[in-house]
């Protein structure tokens, strides 16, 4: 596959090894994506993600702590918002799905992991994704003890022995109405033609810390 200036997705916030990188979007031409993930469509749960993509456990139904599912709406519990995926019926047909994670402090492994190849060296790329805290604070289920979502992003070299970049989203609390938010970061390669992207839980266990992820590109 020829290398392109592409959109990857899902880095909300980005921290370089020695300093904070600027949060924002690429102002120039982004080119055609070589990696996109919208999780398909349908009204049934699943399917499970391929082996190695996440360290969480797939469940056909509402995910408990340390579990995940794919479904076309987010209302898996009465305390979670009802929302369709980020682009309902727009890009991936009727009943587009999203990745729903029930995070906890024990399972702090990978929400999502992806190896991306075909990158141009010394080229600027934009990483972006859409994320939602699915907890509905108007239910008052967690009271003042609501645990926000907080996600750590890491970019490793192809051997996963050298951490190239890392950063956290910071705390994202539940909102009174469903709120999809897009986050992006501009990143310039040096001699890398492939990288491994990892999204990890950086939040605490307890009441809350539940999220939806969609339209990784």
């Amino acid at each position: 596959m020829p290398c392109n200036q592409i959109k990857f997705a899902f880095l909300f916030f980005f921290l370089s090894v020695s300093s904070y990188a600027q949060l924002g979007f690429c102002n120039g031409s982004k080119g055609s994506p070589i990696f996109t993930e919208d999780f398909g469509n349908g009204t049934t749960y699943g399917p499970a993600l391929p082996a190695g993509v996440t360290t969480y456990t797939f469940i056909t139904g509402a995910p408990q702590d340390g579990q995940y599912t794919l479904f076309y709406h987010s209302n898996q519990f009465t305390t979670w918002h009802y929302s369709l995926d980020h682009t309902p019926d727009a890009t991936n047909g009727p009943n587009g799905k999203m990745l729903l994670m029930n995070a906890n402090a024990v399972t702090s492994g990978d929400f999502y992991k992806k190896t991306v190849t075909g990158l141009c060296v010394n080229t600027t790329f934009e990483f972006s994704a859409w994320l939602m805290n699915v907890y509905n604070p108007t239910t008052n289920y967690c009271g003042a003890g609501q645990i926000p979502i907080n996600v750590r992003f890491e970019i490793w070299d192809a051997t996963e022995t050298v951490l190239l970049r890392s950063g956290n989203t910071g705390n994202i609390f539940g909102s009174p109405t469903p709120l999809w938010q897009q986050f992006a970061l501009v990143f310039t390669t040096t001699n890398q033609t492939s990288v491994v992207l990892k999204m990890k839980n950086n939040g605490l266990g307890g009441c809350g810390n539940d999220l939806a992820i969609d339209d990784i590109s």
Side-chain angles (χ1 to χ4, degrees):
M1 177 181 296
C3 62
N4 296 289
Q5 186 172 357
I6 63 170
K7 261 175 56 175
F8 276 127
F10 78 14
L11 292 182
F12 313 122
F13 178 86
F14 205 78
L15 176 66
S16 73
V17 172
S18 59
S19 63
Y20 284 94
Q22 183 178 0
L23 182 66
F25 295 89
C26 178
N27 292 322
S29 174
K30 299 181 178 66
S32 300
I34 61 171
F35 160 55
T36 60
E37 178 62 84
D38 60 20
F39 302 107
N41 61 76
T43 57
T44 58
Y45 287 98
L49 296 173
V53 173
T54 182
T55 56
Y56 279 63
T57 302
F58 174 72
I59 184 72
T60 302
Q64 303 297 321
D65 283 357
Q67 297 178 336
Y68 79 94
T69 196
L70 301 180
F71 203 56
Y72 74 98
H73 70 73
S74 61
N75 186 222
Q76 303 302 298
F77 299 95
T78 58
T79 56
W80 287 18
H81 284 300
Y82 182 94
S83 174
L84 299 179
D85 77 328
H86 167 246
T87 49
D89 302 340
T91 60
N92 59 343
N95 304 310
K97 296 182 180 182
M98 68 193 85
L99 175 61
L100 295 163
M101 313 292 299
N102 193 328
N104 63 18
V106 177
T107 310
S108 59
D110 300 334
F111 286 152
Y112 194 89
K113 174 182 172 181
K114 177 73 175 181
T115 299
V116 181
T117 60
L119 307 183
C120 294
V121 299
N122 302 315
T123 302
T124 299
F125 299 92
E126 181 183 281
F127 297 81
S128 68
W130 292 85
L131 176 144
M132 177 174 60
N133 186 328
V134 296
Y135 172 66
N136 182 356
T138 65
T139 65
N140 203 36
Y141 182 78
C142 296
Q146 175 195 164
I147 305 297
I149 64 174
N150 192 318
V151 182
R152 175 176 174 83
F153 293 93
E154 297 177 346
I155 297 184
W156 293 79
D157 72 341
T159 66
E160 296 186 55
T161 58
V162 179
L163 180 62
L164 303 174
R165 297 287 188 272
S166 65
N168 305 322
T169 63
N171 291 336
I172 303 172
F173 286 87
S175 54
T177 57
L179 179 63
W180 284 103
Q181 299 179 76
Q182 186 184 31
F183 299 84
L185 178 84
V186 176
F187 168 67
T188 302
T189 58
T190 54
N191 62 344
Q192 297 87 22
T193 58
S194 63
V195 294
V196 179
L197 308 179
K198 296 183 181 182
M199 178 188 291
K200 294 176 172 288
N201 177 30
N202 197 49
L204 302 174
C207 193
N209 197 8
D210 306 311
L211 65 154
I213 302 168
D214 200 16
D215 291 332
I216 302 167
S217 65

